[in-house]
């Protein structure tokens, strides 16, 4: 990738209580999301901050011991070290969507009574320990991102205020960028879906945590909306997921819509739609 003038980023995460589930192609074909040992699952070794299942379709996790928390913390740090050695330019910690790191953050999934549960300080402890550990071994010129669910969208759960407060701590710990998503941790979530519905969280982080960069994601599907989010200062960057699944060449089509000249891959140049920049 570097040879062709681009950069490489990697996301590091842990499935937590959502682990040992069936692959996407089997969704809707059975009554449970649980994957058996025969299918390559690990139903007896699913762990989380507390013994609380996501729902009746998922495995019941075992509450992690302090020793197991220590192992996971070091695994994240070791993973970041290997990613750095492999040449990745950006590392993102996945702390969203009801996976392990966010399970520790949310009071809905974390009912621990030790130093890793209860108060906001305790529930954010593991993520901050991991960030500090990674920042110690990661070159300062390599950015460290954290993806977070900015709210549970459930009463009594993680909130936008929590996200802002955590972002301040993450900035001090060496994080450069907060990737602001939401939800995924509780089936009771009530998500007000609309184009750009999560931009508000990136905007709060950008404005209320000076020095921290933020990214917006979620139902941003048009070049007009993506451009507006960045140009009006709501976020420093925009992330697109499902739109790229629908249209892997989205960048090319968006540039054409906006009348912007971008470099096409040499192999694709002859497919460029006719503009003042094209030769066909």
């Amino acid at each position: 990738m570097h040879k062709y003038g681009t950069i490489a980023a990697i996301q590091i995460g842990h499935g937590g209580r959502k682990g040992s589930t069936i692959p996407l192609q089997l969704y809707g074909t059975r009554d449970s999301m649980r994957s058996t040992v025969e299918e390559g699952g690990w139903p007896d070794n699913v762990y989380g901050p507390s013994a609380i299942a996501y729902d009746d379709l998922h495995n019941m996790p075992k509450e992690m011991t302090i020793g197991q928390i220590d192992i996971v913390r070091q695994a994240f740090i070791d993973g970041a070290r290997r990613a750095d050695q492999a040449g990745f330019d950006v590392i993102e910690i996945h702390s969203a969507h009801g996976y392990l790191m966010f399970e520790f953050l949310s009071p809905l999934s974390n009912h621990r009574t030790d130093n890793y549960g209860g108060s906001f300080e305790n529930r954010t402890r593991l993520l901050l320990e991991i960030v500090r550990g990674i920042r110690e071994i990661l070159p300062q010129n390599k950015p460290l991102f954290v993806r977070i669910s900015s709210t549970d969208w459930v009463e009594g759960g993680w909130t936008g205020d929590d996200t802002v407060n955590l972002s301040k701590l993450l900035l001090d710990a060496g994080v450069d960028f907060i990737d602001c998503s939401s939800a995924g941790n509780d089936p009771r979530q009530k998500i007000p879906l609309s184009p750009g519905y999560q931009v508000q969280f990136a905007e709060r982080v950008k404005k209320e945590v000076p020095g921290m960069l933020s990214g917006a994601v979620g139902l941003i599907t048009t070049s007009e909306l993506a451009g507006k989010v960045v140009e009006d200062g709501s976020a420093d960057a925009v992330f697109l997921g499902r739109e790229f699944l629908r249209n892997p060449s989205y960048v090319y089509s968006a540039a054409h819509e906006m009348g912007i000249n971008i470099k096409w891959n040499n192999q694709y140049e002859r497919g460029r739609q006719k503009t003042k920049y094209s030769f066909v």
Side-chain angles (χ1 to χ4, degrees):
M1 294 177 71
H2 292 156
K3 177 181 178 180
Y4 293 102
T6 189
I7 64 172
I10 189 170
Q11 190 179 76
I12 301 175
H14 188 299
R17 66 178 182 172
K18 285 187 170 182
S20 190
T21 55
I22 58 176
L24 281 169
Q25 63 265 30
L26 294 181
Y27 280 21
T29 65
R30 60 173 72 174
D31 295 332
S32 170
M33 298 287 287
R34 296 183 286 273
S35 182
T36 66
V37 172
E38 291 73 21
E39 295 171 316
W42 53 99
D44 296 326
N45 288 294
V46 175
Y47 290 90
S50 301
I52 305 171
Y54 176 76
D55 60 18
D56 293 338
L57 303 180
H58 287 73
N59 293 289
M60 175 61 70
K62 299 174 183 178
E63 181 172 308
M64 294 174 67
T65 66
I66 294 298
Q68 289 168 335
I69 290 175
D70 292 341
I71 290 171
V72 167
R73 181 196 308 110
Q74 190 60 48
F76 270 85
I77 297 169
D78 291 343
R81 179 183 290 108
R82 290 191 294 271
D84 173 43
Q85 293 170 345
F88 284 95
D89 304 285
V90 181
I91 292 175
E92 178 173 81
I93 300 171
H94 197 319
S95 184
H97 305 155
Y99 300 116
L100 186 64
M101 287 301 99
F102 189 77
E103 292 167 18
F104 271 91
L105 295 181
S106 174
L108 300 178
S109 47
N110 184 347
H111 291 186
R112 300 180 72 93
T113 57
D114 58 12
N115 288 339
Y116 290 94
S119 67
F120 174 86
E121 178 184 6
N122 285 352
R123 286 182 282 111
T124 59
R125 186 183 306 277
L126 178 57
L127 177 58
L128 287 165
E129 289 177 344
I130 288 172
V131 164
R132 294 186 185 110
I134 291 176
R135 194 73 271 182
E136 285 183 4
I137 59 93
L138 192 67
Q140 290 301 310
N141 66 333
K142 289 195 175 183
L144 179 59
F145 290 17
V146 172
R147 165 162 273 203
I148 187 170
S149 281
S150 303
T151 178
D152 271 316
W153 297 114
V154 177
E155 185 175 353
W158 186 264
T159 68
D161 289 339
D162 291 328
T163 293
V164 170
N165 291 330
L166 174 60
S167 296
K168 294 175 182 177
L169 299 175
L170 291 172
L171 179 66
D172 291 339
V175 170
D176 302 286
F177 190 103
I178 303 296
D179 178 359
C180 299
S181 188
S182 73
N185 189 53
D186 193 299
R188 297 171 295 176
Q189 61 197 16
K190 303 293 184 183
I191 308 173
L193 295 173
S194 63
Y197 70 102
Q198 293 173 154
V199 172
Q200 58 179 308
F201 303 115
E203 185 173 14
R204 283 198 62 184
V205 169
K206 181 174 173 62
K207 292 183 177 179
E208 298 180 39
V209 189
M212 179 66 85
L213 300 174
S214 72
V217 64
L219 289 184
I220 299 173
T221 61
T222 67
S223 57
E224 180 181 8
L225 178 56
K228 181 178 183 300
V229 169
V230 175
E231 289 169 2
D232 69 10
S234 296
D236 296 289
V238 167
F239 290 84
L240 286 80
R242 297 180 190 184
E243 189 61 25
F244 272 110
L245 295 178
R246 289 186 285 264
N247 178 11
S249 297
Y250 174 81
V251 171
Y252 297 150
S253 58
H256 181 73
E257 290 174 5
M258 301 173 74
I260 297 173
N261 181 38
I262 62 171
K263 174 68 173 69
W264 280 48
N265 291 343
N266 293 336
Q267 304 95 317
Y268 287 77
E269 178 61 47
R270 288 184 178 274
R272 182 193 290 269
Q273 295 165 291
K274 187 172 178 58
T275 68
K276 64 181 179 181
Y277 303 110
S278 63
F279 56 83
V280 293

